[in-house]
Amino acid sequence: MKTGRRARPAMLAAAVGLLLVAGCDAAAVDETRGCQEQRQADEAKVRVSRWDPPEDLPHVGEYSEIHWQARALSDPCSRMPGPTDWEYQGVIVLGPQDAHRLAEQFAFVPFASIDPAELRHSHTPTDVRLDLVPFLPAKPRWLHSEIYNETLPSTRRRVAFLDLEHRTLLFMLNDH
């Protein structure tokens, strides 16, 4: 088959274009793989920095200890535009006065006495991530308060469980 002089540059341009696309695809795969590895490392990390913004966890006072993790609810490495929602879980050791004030102010009741079907959420203390379990009390007696969960202001949905004896607050927050 004989090709004309005009067809050769077009074929050459098409071949170069295919190579560029293939190179871009390979770079995109490498970039996505690197992003996924970073995401997994970030999600496995147990953080100890103070919670920010504090409005997400109102009335906890000047707590002595916090351990928390973040997890993406969708794929932040996707090349599709749009926000990624996040879920956060953490364990806070409260001061003695702060734990009692929180329990009284928001009418925390024993979680075991609540019918799960009546809750506005489906979370329980058993939903805690494995990396946070070492920071929970050995035999917690969880209290729960829908009033606290719905207290404003918060930029995230909140579910909290309080063990008054051990002054421990287990929290779960989700982006709206």
Side-chain angles (χ1 to χ4, degrees):
M1 170 182 213
K2 200 172 178 183
T3 52
R5 292 184 185 262
R6 292 184 189 175
R8 285 185 188 145
M11 286 175 37
L12 182 61
V16 169
L18 284 173
L19 288 174
L20 285 174
V21 168
C24 289
D25 284 348
V29 167
D30 288 344
E31 181 181 324
T32 300
R33 184 177 301 124
C35 179
Q36 292 292 355
E37 290 169 359
Q38 182 63 47
R39 171 189 172 189
Q40 289 172 349
D42 287 345
E43 289 180 355
K45 183 178 179 180
V46 176
R47 294 163 170 82
V48 294
S49 56
R50 294 197 73 75
W51 186 259
D52 191 32
E55 296 82 30
D56 286 344
L57 299 166
H59 307 281
V60 296
E62 292 297 320
Y63 47 87
S64 61
E65 195 178 310
I66 184 171
H67 297 88
W68 61 276
Q69 288 184 302
R71 184 179 75 191
L73 295 176
S74 56
D75 185 1
C77 300
S78 170
R79 300 183 61 82
M80 300 298 289
T84 297
D85 289 338
W86 291 85
E87 175 189 67
Y88 307 90
Q89 286 189 8
V91 179
I92 298 176
V93 177
L94 303 170
Q97 296 84 6
D98 295 325
H100 286 283
R101 188 176 0 200
L102 192 67
E104 292 169 9
Q105 184 175 357
F106 294 100
F108 275 81
V109 297
F111 183 69
S113 70
I114 299 172
D115 178 2
E118 294 178 5
L119 294 174
R120 296 182 184 162
H121 60 82
S122 61
H123 297 294
T124 71
T126 60
D127 296 328
V128 69
R129 292 200 199 113
L130 292 178
D131 291 335
L132 296 174
V133 169
F135 306 106
L136 295 175
K139 294 183 180 181
R141 290 190 286 178
W142 294 117
L143 304 174
H144 182 68
S145 170
E146 285 291 324
I147 298 168
Y148 183 74
N149 291 346
E150 296 171 4
T151 297
L152 297 176
S154 180
T155 59
R156 298 180 171 98
R157 280 178 286 220
R158 175 187 320 114
V159 176
F161 302 94
L162 175 66
D163 180 319
L164 195 54
E165 179 182 346
H166 297 99
R167 303 181 343 252
T168 302
L169 183 74
L170 168 61
F171 67 88
M172 300 170 185
L173 302 170
N174 283 14
D175 288 338
H176 289 277

